[in-house]
Coordinates of all heavy atoms in Angstrom, one line a residue:
M1344 N 0.8 -1.1 0.1 CA 0.0 0.0 0.0 C 0.9 1.3 0.0 O 1.8 1.4 0.8 CB -0.9 -0.1 1.3 CG -1.8 1.1 1.3 SD -3.0 0.9 2.7 CE -4.0 2.3 2.5
L1345 N 0.6 2.2 -0.9 CA 1.3 3.4 -1.0 C 1.0 4.3 0.1 O -0.2 4.5 0.4 CB 1.1 4.0 -2.3 CG 1.7 3.3 -3.5 CD1 1.3 4.0 -4.8 CD2 3.1 3.1 -3.5
S1346 N 1.9 5.1 0.7 CA 1.6 6.1 1.7 C 1.2 7.3 1.0 O 1.5 7.6 -0.2 CB 2.9 6.4 2.6 OG 3.8 6.9 1.8
R1347 N 0.4 8.2 1.8 CA 0.0 9.4 1.2 C 1.2 10.4 0.9 O 2.2 10.1 1.5 CB -0.9 10.1 2.2 CG -2.2 9.3 2.5 CD -3.0 9.9 3.5 NE -3.8 10.9 2.8 CZ -4.6 11.8 3.5 NH1 -4.7 11.8 4.7 NH2 -5.4 12.6 2.7
C1348 N 1.0 11.2 0.0 CA 2.0 12.2 -0.4 C 2.5 13.0 0.8 O 1.6 13.5 1.6 CB 1.5 13.1 -1.4 SG 2.6 14.0 -2.4
R1349 N 3.8 13.1 0.9 CA 4.3 13.8 2.1 C 4.5 15.3 1.8 O 4.7 15.7 0.7 CB 5.7 13.2 2.4 CG 5.7 11.9 2.9 CD 7.0 11.4 3.2 NE 7.0 9.9 3.4 CZ 8.1 9.3 3.7 NH1 9.2 9.8 3.7 NH2 8.1 8.0 3.8
E1350 N 4.2 16.0 2.8 CA 4.3 17.5 2.6 C 5.8 17.9 2.8 O 6.5 17.3 3.6 CB 3.5 18.2 3.8 CG 2.0 18.1 3.5 CD 1.2 18.9 4.5 OE1 1.7 19.9 5.0 OE2 0.1 18.4 4.8
V1351 N 6.2 19.0 2.1 CA 7.5 19.5 2.2 C 7.5 20.4 3.5 O 6.6 21.2 3.7 CB 7.8 20.5 1.0 CG1 9.2 21.2 1.2 CG2 7.8 19.6 -0.3
P1352 N 8.5 20.1 4.4 CA 8.5 20.8 5.7 C 8.7 22.3 5.5 O 9.4 22.7 4.6 CB 9.7 20.2 6.4 CG 10.5 19.5 5.3 CD 9.6 19.2 4.2
D1353 N 8.2 23.1 6.2 CA 8.4 24.6 6.1 C 8.9 25.1 7.5 O 9.0 26.3 7.7 CB 7.1 25.3 5.7 CG 6.0 25.2 6.7 OD1 6.1 24.5 7.8 OD2 5.0 25.8 6.5
R1354 N 9.2 24.3 8.5 CA 9.8 24.6 9.8 C 11.1 23.8 9.9 O 11.0 22.6 9.8 CB 8.9 24.4 10.9 CG 7.5 25.2 10.7 CD 6.9 25.2 12.0 NE 7.3 26.5 12.3 CZ 6.9 27.4 13.1 NH1 6.0 27.3 13.8 NH2 7.2 28.5 13.4
F1355 N 12.1 24.4 10.2 CA 13.4 23.7 10.5 C 14.0 24.1 11.8 O 13.9 25.3 12.3 CB 14.3 24.0 9.3 CG 13.9 23.6 8.0 CD1 13.2 24.6 7.2 CD2 14.1 22.4 7.5 CE1 12.6 24.2 6.0 CE2 13.6 22.0 6.2 CZ 12.9 22.9 5.5
E1356 N 14.7 23.1 12.5 CA 15.2 23.4 13.7 C 16.6 24.0 13.6 O 17.1 24.6 14.6 CB 15.3 22.1 14.5 CG 13.8 21.5 14.8 CD 13.0 22.5 15.6 OE1 13.5 23.2 16.6 OE2 11.8 22.6 15.2
L1357 N 17.4 23.8 12.5 CA 18.7 24.3 12.2 C 18.8 25.3 11.2 O 18.0 25.2 10.2 CB 19.6 23.1 11.9 CG 19.7 22.0 13.0 CD1 20.6 20.8 12.3 CD2 20.4 22.4 14.2
S1358 N 19.7 26.2 11.4 CA 19.8 27.3 10.3 C 20.7 26.6 9.2 O 21.6 25.8 9.5 CB 20.5 28.5 10.9 OG 19.6 29.2 11.7
P1359 N 20.5 27.0 8.0 CA 21.4 26.6 6.9 C 22.7 27.3 7.0 O 22.9 28.3 7.7 CB 20.6 27.0 5.6 CG 19.8 28.2 6.1 CD 19.5 28.0 7.5
D1360 N 23.7 26.7 6.4 CA 25.1 27.3 6.3 C 25.0 28.5 5.4 O 25.7 29.5 5.6 CB 26.1 26.3 5.8 CG 26.5 25.3 6.8 OD1 26.2 25.4 8.0 OD2 26.9 24.2 6.3
W1361 N 24.1 28.5 4.4 CA 24.0 29.6 3.5 C 22.7 29.8 3.0 O 21.9 28.9 2.7 CB 24.8 29.1 2.3 CG 25.1 30.1 1.0 CD1 24.5 31.3 0.8 CD2 25.9 29.8 0.0 NE1 24.9 31.9 -0.4 CE2 25.8 30.8 -1.0 CE3 26.6 28.7 -0.4 CZ2 26.5 31.0 -2.1 CZ3 27.4 28.8 -1.6 CH2 27.3 29.9 -2.5
V1362 N 22.2 31.0 3.2 CA 20.8 31.4 2.8 C 20.8 32.4 1.7 O 21.6 33.3 1.6 CB 20.0 31.9 4.1 CG1 20.6 33.2 4.6 CG2 18.5 32.1 3.8
I1363 N 19.8 32.2 0.7 CA 19.7 33.1 -0.4 C 18.3 33.5 -0.5 O 17.4 32.6 -0.6 CB 20.1 32.5 -1.8 CG1 21.6 32.0 -1.7 CG2 19.9 33.4 -3.0 CD1 22.1 31.1 -2.9
Q1364 N 18.0 34.8 -0.4 CA 16.5 35.3 -0.5 C 16.5 36.3 -1.7 O 17.4 37.1 -1.9 CB 16.3 36.0 0.8 CG 16.3 35.2 2.1 CD 15.0 34.5 2.2 OE1 13.9 35.0 2.1 NE2 15.0 33.2 2.5
I1365 N 15.4 36.0 -2.4 CA 15.2 36.9 -3.6 C 14.0 37.8 -3.3 O 12.9 37.2 -3.0 CB 15.0 36.1 -4.9 CG1 16.2 35.2 -5.1 CG2 14.8 37.1 -6.1 CD1 16.0 34.2 -6.3
L1366 N 14.1 39.1 -3.4 CA 13.0 39.9 -3.0 C 12.0 39.8 -4.2 O 12.3 40.1 -5.4 CB 13.5 41.3 -2.9 CG 12.4 42.4 -2.4 CD1 11.9 42.1 -1.1 CD2 13.0 43.8 -2.5
S1367 N 10.7 39.5 -3.9 CA 9.6 39.6 -4.9 C 8.8 40.8 -4.7 O 8.9 41.5 -3.7 CB 8.9 38.3 -4.8 OG 8.2 38.2 -3.6
P1368 N 8.1 41.2 -5.7 CA 7.4 42.5 -5.6 C 6.5 42.6 -4.6 O 6.3 43.8 -4.0 CB 6.6 42.5 -7.0 CG 7.4 41.7 -7.9 CD 8.0 40.6 -7.0
E1369 N 5.8 41.6 -4.1 CA 4.9 41.7 -2.9 C 5.4 41.7 -1.5 O 4.8 41.8 -0.6 CB 3.8 40.6 -3.1 CG 4.2 39.2 -2.9 CD 4.9 38.6 -4.0 OE1 4.8 39.1 -5.3 OE2 5.4 37.4 -4.0
Q1370 N 6.8 41.5 -1.5 CA 7.4 41.3 -0.2 C 8.1 42.7 0.3 O 8.3 43.6 -0.6 CB 8.6 40.3 -0.3 CG 8.2 39.0 -0.4 CD 9.4 38.0 -0.5 OE1 10.2 38.2 -1.3 NE2 9.4 37.0 0.4
K1371 N 8.2 42.9 1.5 CA 8.8 43.9 2.1 C 10.3 43.6 2.4 O 10.6 42.6 2.9 CB 8.1 44.4 3.5 CG 6.8 44.7 3.3 CD 6.5 46.0 2.6 CE 5.0 46.4 2.5 NZ 4.8 47.4 1.7
S1372 N 11.2 44.5 2.0 CA 12.6 44.2 2.1 C 13.1 44.0 3.5 O 14.0 43.1 3.8 CB 13.5 45.3 1.4 OG 13.3 46.5 2.1
N1373 N 12.6 44.8 4.5 CA 13.0 44.5 5.9 C 12.6 43.3 6.3 O 13.3 42.6 7.2 CB 12.5 45.6 6.8 CG 13.1 47.0 6.7 OD1 14.3 47.1 6.0 ND2 12.6 48.1 7.1
K1374 N 11.5 42.7 6.0 CA 10.9 41.3 6.4 C 12.0 40.3 5.9 O 12.4 39.4 6.6 CB 9.5 41.1 5.9 CG 9.0 39.8 6.2 CD 8.5 39.7 7.7 CE 7.8 38.4 7.8 NZ 7.6 38.1 9.2
V1375 N 12.3 40.4 4.7 CA 13.2 39.4 4.0 C 14.6 39.5 4.7 O 15.3 38.4 5.0 CB 13.3 39.6 2.5 CG1 14.2 38.6 1.9 CG2 11.9 39.4 2.0
I1376 N 15.1 40.7 4.9 CA 16.4 40.8 5.5 C 16.4 40.3 7.0 O 17.3 39.8 7.4 CB 16.9 42.4 5.5 CG1 17.1 42.7 4.1 CG2 18.0 42.6 6.3 CD1 17.4 44.2 3.8
G1377 N 15.2 40.7 7.6 CA 15.0 40.0 8.9 C 15.2 38.6 9.0 O 15.7 37.9 9.9
N1378 N 14.7 37.9 7.9 CA 14.8 36.4 7.9 C 16.3 36.1 7.8 O 16.7 35.0 8.4 CB 14.0 35.9 6.7 CG 12.5 36.0 6.7 OD1 12.0 36.1 7.9 ND2 11.9 35.8 5.7
I1379 N 17.0 36.8 7.0 CA 18.5 36.5 6.8 C 19.2 36.6 8.1 O 20.0 35.8 8.6 CB 19.1 37.3 5.7 CG1 18.5 37.0 4.3 CG2 20.6 37.1 5.7 CD1 18.9 37.8 3.2
L1380 N 18.8 37.8 8.8 CA 19.5 38.1 10.1 C 19.2 37.0 11.1 O 20.0 36.7 11.9 CB 19.0 39.5 10.5 CG 19.5 40.6 9.8 CD1 18.9 42.0 10.3 CD2 21.1 40.7 9.8
Y1381 N 17.9 36.6 11.1 CA 17.6 35.5 12.0 C 18.5 34.2 11.8 O 19.0 33.6 12.8 CB 16.1 35.1 11.8 CG 15.7 34.0 12.8 CD1 15.3 34.3 14.1 CD2 15.7 32.7 12.4 CE1 14.9 33.2 14.9 CE2 15.3 31.7 13.2 CZ 14.9 31.9 14.4 OH 14.6 31.0 15.3
C1382 N 18.6 33.9 10.5 CA 19.5 32.8 10.2 C 21.0 33.0 10.7 O 21.6 32.2 11.3 CB 19.4 32.5 8.8 SG 18.0 31.7 8.1
M1383 N 21.4 34.2 10.5 CA 22.8 34.5 10.8 C 23.0 34.5 12.3 O 24.0 34.1 12.9 CB 23.2 36.0 10.3 CG 23.2 36.2 8.8 SD 24.2 35.0 7.8 CE 25.9 35.6 8.3
E1384 N 22.0 34.9 13.0 CA 22.1 34.9 14.5 C 22.1 33.5 15.0 O 22.5 33.2 16.1 CB 20.9 35.7 15.1 CG 21.0 37.1 14.9 CD 19.7 37.9 15.3 OE1 18.8 37.2 15.9 OE2 19.7 39.1 15.1
H1385 N 21.6 32.5 14.2 CA 21.5 31.1 14.7 C 22.5 30.1 13.9 O 22.2 29.0 13.8 CB 20.0 30.7 14.6 CG 19.2 31.4 15.5 ND1 18.5 32.6 15.2 CD2 18.7 31.0 16.8 CE1 17.8 32.9 16.3 NE2 17.9 32.0 17.2
G1386 N 23.6 30.8 13.5 CA 24.7 29.8 13.0 C 25.0 29.9 11.5 O 25.9 29.2 11.0
C1387 N 24.1 30.6 10.7 CA 24.3 30.7 9.3 C 25.6 31.4 9.0 O 26.0 32.3 9.8 CB 23.1 31.4 8.6 SG 23.1 31.4 6.8
K1388 N 26.4 30.9 8.1 CA 27.7 31.6 7.8 C 27.6 32.6 6.7 O 28.5 33.5 6.5 CB 28.7 30.5 7.4 CG 28.9 29.6 8.6 CD 29.8 28.4 8.1 CE 30.1 27.4 9.2 NZ 29.0 26.7 9.7
L1389 N 26.7 32.6 5.7 CA 26.6 33.4 4.6 C 25.2 33.7 4.2 O 24.4 32.7 4.1 CB 27.4 32.8 3.4 CG 27.5 33.5 2.1 CD1 28.1 34.8 2.2 CD2 28.1 32.6 1.0
G1390 N 24.9 34.9 3.8 CA 23.5 35.2 3.3 C 23.6 36.1 2.2 O 24.4 37.1 2.1
W1391 N 22.8 35.9 1.2 CA 22.6 36.8 0.0 C 21.2 37.2 -0.1 O 20.3 36.4 0.0 CB 23.0 36.1 -1.3 CG 24.4 35.6 -1.6 CD1 25.5 35.8 -0.8 CD2 24.8 34.9 -2.7 NE1 26.6 35.3 -1.4 CE2 26.2 34.7 -2.5 CE3 24.2 34.4 -3.8 CZ2 27.0 34.0 -3.5 CZ3 24.9 33.7 -4.8 CH2 26.3 33.5 -4.6
F1392 N 21.1 38.6 -0.2 CA 19.8 39.2 -0.4 C 19.8 39.9 -1.8 O 20.5 40.7 -2.1 CB 19.5 40.3 0.7 CG 18.3 41.1 0.5 CD1 17.0 40.5 0.6 CD2 18.3 42.3 0.0 CE1 15.9 41.3 0.3 CE2 17.3 43.2 -0.2 CZ 16.0 42.7 -0.1
L1393 N 19.0 39.2 -2.7 CA 18.9 39.6 -4.1 C 17.9 40.6 -4.3 O 16.6 40.3 -4.0 CB 18.8 38.4 -5.1 CG 20.0 37.5 -5.2 CD1 20.4 36.8 -4.1 CD2 19.7 36.6 -6.5
D1394 N 18.1 41.8 -4.8 CA 17.1 42.7 -5.1 C 17.1 42.9 -6.6 O 17.9 43.6 -7.2 CB 17.5 44.1 -4.4 CG 16.4 45.1 -4.6 OD1 15.5 45.0 -5.5 OD2 16.4 46.1 -3.7
P1395 N 16.1 42.3 -7.2 CA 15.9 42.4 -8.7 C 15.7 43.9 -9.3 O 16.0 44.2 -10.4 CB 14.7 41.6 -9.1 CG 14.5 40.6 -7.9 CD 15.1 41.5 -6.6
D1396 N 15.1 44.8 -8.4 CA 14.8 46.1 -8.9 C 16.2 46.9 -9.3 O 16.2 47.6 -10.2 CB 14.1 46.9 -7.9 CG 12.6 46.5 -7.8 OD1 12.1 45.9 -8.8 OD2 11.9 46.7 -6.8
D1397 N 17.2 46.8 -8.4 CA 18.4 47.4 -8.8 C 19.6 46.6 -9.0 O 20.7 47.0 -9.1 CB 18.7 48.4 -7.5 CG 19.2 47.7 -6.3 OD1 19.1 46.5 -6.2 OD2 19.5 48.4 -5.3
L1398 N 19.2 45.4 -9.3 CA 20.3 44.3 -9.7 C 21.5 44.3 -8.8 O 22.7 44.4 -9.2 CB 20.7 44.6 -11.1 CG 19.6 44.5 -12.2 CD1 20.1 44.9 -13.5 CD2 18.9 43.1 -12.2
S1399 N 21.2 44.3 -7.5 CA 22.3 44.3 -6.5 C 22.1 43.1 -5.6 O 21.0 42.5 -5.4 CB 22.4 45.6 -5.7 OG 21.2 45.7 -4.8
I1400 N 23.1 42.7 -4.9 CA 23.1 41.7 -3.9 C 23.7 42.1 -2.6 O 24.9 42.6 -2.6 CB 23.8 40.3 -4.4 CG1 23.1 39.8 -5.6 CG2 23.8 39.3 -3.2 CD1 23.7 38.6 -6.2
L1401 N 23.0 42.1 -1.5 CA 23.5 42.5 -0.2 C 24.0 41.2 0.4 O 23.2 40.2 0.6 CB 22.4 43.2 0.6 CG 22.8 43.9 2.0 CD1 23.8 44.9 1.7 CD2 21.6 44.4 2.6
V1402 N 25.3 41.1 0.7 CA 25.9 40.0 1.2 C 26.1 40.1 2.8 O 26.6 41.1 3.3 CB 27.3 39.7 0.6 CG1 28.0 38.5 1.2 CG2 27.1 39.5 -0.8
F1403 N 25.7 39.1 3.5 CA 25.8 39.0 4.9 C 26.9 37.9 5.3 O 26.8 36.8 4.8 CB 24.5 38.7 5.6 CG 23.4 39.7 5.4 CD1 22.7 39.8 4.2 CD2 23.2 40.7 6.4 CE1 21.7 40.7 4.0 CE2 22.2 41.7 6.2 CZ 21.5 41.6 5.0
L1404 N 27.8 38.3 6.0 CA 28.8 37.4 6.5 C 28.9 37.5 8.1 O 28.5 38.5 8.6 CB 30.2 37.8 6.0 CG 30.4 37.7 4.5 CD1 31.6 38.5 4.0 CD2 30.5 36.3 4.0
C1405 N 29.2 36.4 8.7 CA 29.0 36.4 10.2 C 30.0 37.3 10.9 O 29.8 37.6 12.1 CB 29.1 34.9 10.7 SG 30.6 34.1 10.3
D1406 N 31.1 37.7 10.3 CA 32.1 38.4 11.0 C 32.2 39.8 10.5 O 33.4 40.5 10.9 CB 33.5 37.7 10.9 CG 33.9 37.6 9.5 OD1 33.1 37.8 8.5 OD2 35.0 37.2 9.2
R1407 N 31.3 40.5 9.8 CA 31.5 41.8 9.3 C 30.1 42.5 9.0 O 29.1 41.7 8.9 CB 32.4 41.9 8.2 CG 32.0 41.2 6.9 CD 33.0 41.4 5.8 NE 34.0 40.5 6.1 CZ 34.9 40.0 5.1 NH1 34.8 40.4 3.8 NH2 35.8 39.2 5.3
Q1408 N 30.1 43.7 8.7 CA 28.9 44.4 8.2 C 28.5 43.9 6.8 O 29.3 43.4 6.1 CB 29.3 45.9 8.1 CG 29.5 46.6 9.5 CD 28.3 46.5 10.3 OE1 27.2 46.9 9.9 NE2 28.4 46.3 11.7
P1409 N 27.2 44.0 6.5 CA 26.8 43.7 5.2 C 27.5 44.5 4.1 O 27.9 45.5 4.3 CB 25.2 44.0 5.1 CG 24.9 44.1 6.6 CD 26.1 44.4 7.3
I1410 N 27.7 43.8 2.9 CA 28.4 44.4 1.8 C 27.4 44.4 0.6 O 26.9 43.4 0.2 CB 29.6 43.4 1.5 CG1 30.6 43.3 2.6 CG2 30.4 44.2 0.2 CD1 31.5 42.1 2.4
L1411 N 27.3 45.6 0.0 CA 26.5 45.8 -1.3 C 27.3 45.5 -2.5 O 28.3 46.1 -2.6 CB 25.9 47.1 -1.3 CG 24.9 47.5 -2.5 CD1 23.7 46.6 -2.3 CD2 24.6 48.8 -2.6
M1412 N 26.9 44.5 -3.2 CA 27.6 44.1 -4.4 C 26.9 44.3 -5.7 O 25.7 44.1 -5.6 CB 28.1 42.6 -4.2 CG 28.9 42.4 -3.0 SD 29.7 40.8 -2.9 CE 31.3 41.3 -3.5
E1413 N 27.6 44.7 -6.8 CA 26.8 45.0 -8.0 C 27.7 44.5 -9.2 O 28.9 44.4 -9.1 CB 26.6 46.4 -8.1 CG 25.8 47.1 -7.0 CD 25.8 48.5 -7.2 OE1 26.8 49.3 -6.9 OE2 24.7 49.1 -7.1
K1414 N 27.1 44.4 -10.3 CA 27.6 44.1 -11.6 C 28.7 43.0 -11.6 O 28.4 41.9 -11.6 CB 28.1 45.3 -12.3 CG 27.0 46.4 -12.4 CD 27.5 47.6 -13.1 CE 26.4 48.6 -12.9 NZ 26.1 49.4 -14.1
T1415 N 30.0 43.4 -11.7 CA 31.0 42.4 -11.9 C 31.8 42.1 -10.5 O 32.8 41.4 -10.5 CB 32.1 43.0 -12.9 OG1 32.7 44.2 -12.3 CG2 31.6 43.2 -14.2
D1416 N 31.2 42.5 -9.4 CA 31.6 42.1 -8.1 C 31.6 40.6 -8.0 O 30.5 40.0 -8.3 CB 30.9 42.7 -7.0 CG 31.1 44.2 -6.9 OD1 32.1 44.7 -7.3 OD2 30.2 44.9 -6.3
I1417 N 32.6 39.9 -7.5 CA 32.6 38.5 -7.2 C 32.1 38.2 -5.8 O 32.5 38.7 -4.9 CB 34.0 37.9 -7.5 CG1 34.5 38.2 -8.9 CG2 34.0 36.4 -7.1 CD1 36.0 37.7 -9.1
L1418 N 31.1 37.4 -5.9 CA 30.3 37.1 -4.7 C 31.1 36.1 -3.8 O 31.6 35.0 -4.3 CB 29.0 36.5 -5.0 CG 28.0 37.5 -5.7 CD1 26.9 36.8 -6.4 CD2 27.4 38.4 -4.6
P1419 N 31.1 36.2 -2.5 CA 31.7 35.2 -1.7 C 30.9 34.0 -1.6 O 29.7 34.0 -1.7 CB 31.8 36.0 -0.2 CG 30.7 36.9 -0.4 CD 30.5 37.4 -1.7
A1420 N 31.5 32.8 -1.4 CA 30.9 31.6 -1.2 C 31.5 31.0 0.1 O 32.4 31.5 0.7 CB 31.2 30.6 -2.4
L1421 N 30.8 29.9 0.5 CA 31.3 29.2 1.7 C 32.8 28.6 1.5 O 33.1 28.2 0.4 CB 30.4 28.0 2.1 CG 28.9 28.5 2.5 CD1 28.1 27.2 2.8 CD2 29.0 29.3 3.8
A1422 N 33.4 28.5 2.5 CA 34.8 27.9 2.5 C 34.7 26.4 2.0 O 33.8 25.7 2.4 CB 35.4 27.9 3.9
G1423 N 35.6 26.2 1.1 CA 35.6 24.8 0.5 C 34.7 24.7 -0.7 O 34.7 23.6 -1.3
I1424 N 34.0 25.7 -1.1 CA 33.1 25.5 -2.3 C 33.8 26.5 -3.3 O 34.0 27.7 -3.2 CB 31.8 26.1 -2.1 CG1 31.0 25.2 -1.1 CG2 31.0 26.2 -3.4 CD1 29.5 25.6 -0.7
E1425 N 34.3 25.8 -4.5 CA 34.9 26.5 -5.5 C 33.8 27.1 -6.5 O 33.3 26.5 -7.3 CB 35.8 25.6 -6.3 CG 36.9 24.8 -5.5 CD 38.1 25.8 -5.3 OE1 38.3 26.6 -6.2 OE2 38.7 25.6 -4.2
L1426 N 33.6 28.4 -6.3 CA 32.6 29.1 -7.0 C 33.0 30.5 -7.2 O 33.4 31.2 -6.3 CB 31.3 29.1 -6.1 CG 30.0 29.5 -6.8 CD1 29.6 28.7 -7.9 CD2 28.9 29.6 -5.8
K1427 N 33.0 30.9 -8.5 CA 33.3 32.3 -8.9 C 32.2 32.8 -9.7 O 32.2 32.7 -11.0 CB 34.7 32.3 -9.7 CG 35.2 33.7 -9.9 CD 36.6 33.6 -10.7 CE 37.1 35.0 -10.9 NZ 38.4 35.0 -11.5
L1428 N 31.3 33.5 -8.9 CA 30.1 34.1 -9.5 C 30.1 35.6 -9.3 O 30.5 36.1 -8.3 CB 28.8 33.6 -8.9 CG 28.3 32.2 -9.2 CD1 27.2 31.8 -8.3 CD2 28.1 32.1 -10.6
T1429 N 29.7 36.3 -10.4 CA 29.4 37.7 -10.2 C 28.0 38.1 -10.0 O 27.2 37.2 -10.3 CB 30.0 38.5 -11.4 OG1 29.1 38.2 -12.5 CG2 31.5 38.2 -11.8
V1430 N 27.7 39.3 -9.5 CA 26.3 39.6 -9.5 C 25.6 39.5 -10.9 O 24.5 39.0 -11.0 CB 26.2 41.0 -8.9 CG1 24.8 41.6 -8.9 CG2 26.8 41.1 -7.5
D1431 N 26.3 40.0 -11.9 CA 25.7 39.8 -13.2 C 25.4 38.5 -13.7 O 24.4 38.1 -14.3 CB 26.6 40.5 -14.3 CG 26.6 42.0 -14.3 OD1 25.7 42.6 -13.8 OD2 27.5 42.6 -14.8
N1432 N 26.3 37.5 -13.2 CA 26.0 36.0 -13.5 C 24.7 35.6 -12.9 O 23.9 34.9 -13.5 CB 27.1 35.1 -13.0 CG 28.5 35.3 -13.6 OD1 29.4 35.2 -12.9 ND2 28.6 35.4 -15.0
V1433 N 24.5 35.9 -11.6 CA 23.3 35.5 -10.9 C 22.1 36.1 -11.5 O 21.1 35.4 -11.8 CB 23.5 35.9 -9.4 CG1 22.1 35.6 -8.7 CG2 24.6 35.1 -8.7
F1434 N 22.0 37.4 -11.8 CA 20.8 37.9 -12.4 C 20.6 37.6 -13.8 O 19.5 37.5 -14.3 CB 20.9 39.5 -12.3 CG 20.5 39.9 -10.9 CD1 21.5 40.4 -10.0 CD2 19.3 39.8 -10.4 CE1 21.3 40.8 -8.7 CE2 18.9 40.2 -9.1 CZ 19.9 40.7 -8.2
G1435 N 21.8 37.2 -14.5 CA 21.6 36.6 -15.9 C 20.8 35.3 -15.8 O 20.0 35.0 -16.6
W1436 N 21.0 34.5 -14.8 CA 20.2 33.2 -14.6 C 18.8 33.5 -14.4 O 17.9 32.7 -14.7 CB 20.7 32.4 -13.4 CG 22.1 31.9 -13.7 CD1 22.8 31.6 -15.0 CD2 23.1 31.4 -12.7 NE1 24.1 31.1 -14.8 CE2 24.3 30.9 -13.4 CE3 23.1 31.3 -11.3 CZ2 25.4 30.5 -12.8 CZ3 24.2 30.7 -10.8 CH2 25.3 30.3 -11.4
L1437 N 18.5 34.6 -13.7 CA 17.2 34.8 -13.2 C 16.3 35.6 -14.3 O 15.2 35.8 -14.1 CB 17.2 35.7 -12.0 CG 17.8 35.0 -10.8 CD1 17.8 36.0 -9.5 CD2 17.0 33.8 -10.4
T1438 N 16.9 36.1 -15.4 CA 16.3 36.8 -16.4 C 15.4 35.9 -17.2 O 15.8 34.8 -17.6 CB 17.3 37.5 -17.4 OG1 18.2 38.3 -16.6 CG2 16.6 38.3 -18.5
M1439 N 14.2 36.3 -17.3 CA 13.2 35.4 -18.1 C 13.0 36.0 -19.4 O 12.8 37.2 -19.6 CB 11.8 35.4 -17.4 CG 12.0 34.9 -16.1 SD 10.4 34.4 -15.3 CE 9.7 33.2 -16.4
A1440 N 13.2 35.2 -20.5 CA 13.0 35.6 -21.8 C 11.7 35.6 -22.4 O 10.8 35.0 -21.9 CB 14.0 34.7 -22.8

């Protein structure tokens, strides 16, 4: 007998190591940034806040103030992850044709 379809959890007990939030038109930026800050306060090491309106990414690191990155700035990744992405790369993926 097959079990019923399982629901995707929406509550987690642990913070992720890396959180990425994309601001959508109906969201308030402070609410979304608040979610990132909550994760950072609970052990997250890296946060990206993507703002499609101005094509910028606000980067949160656990040991410094947020950094505003644009265009060809290379985004930080977690230690041990070989990733060289620019802000333009990320928004290029999000562009809908």
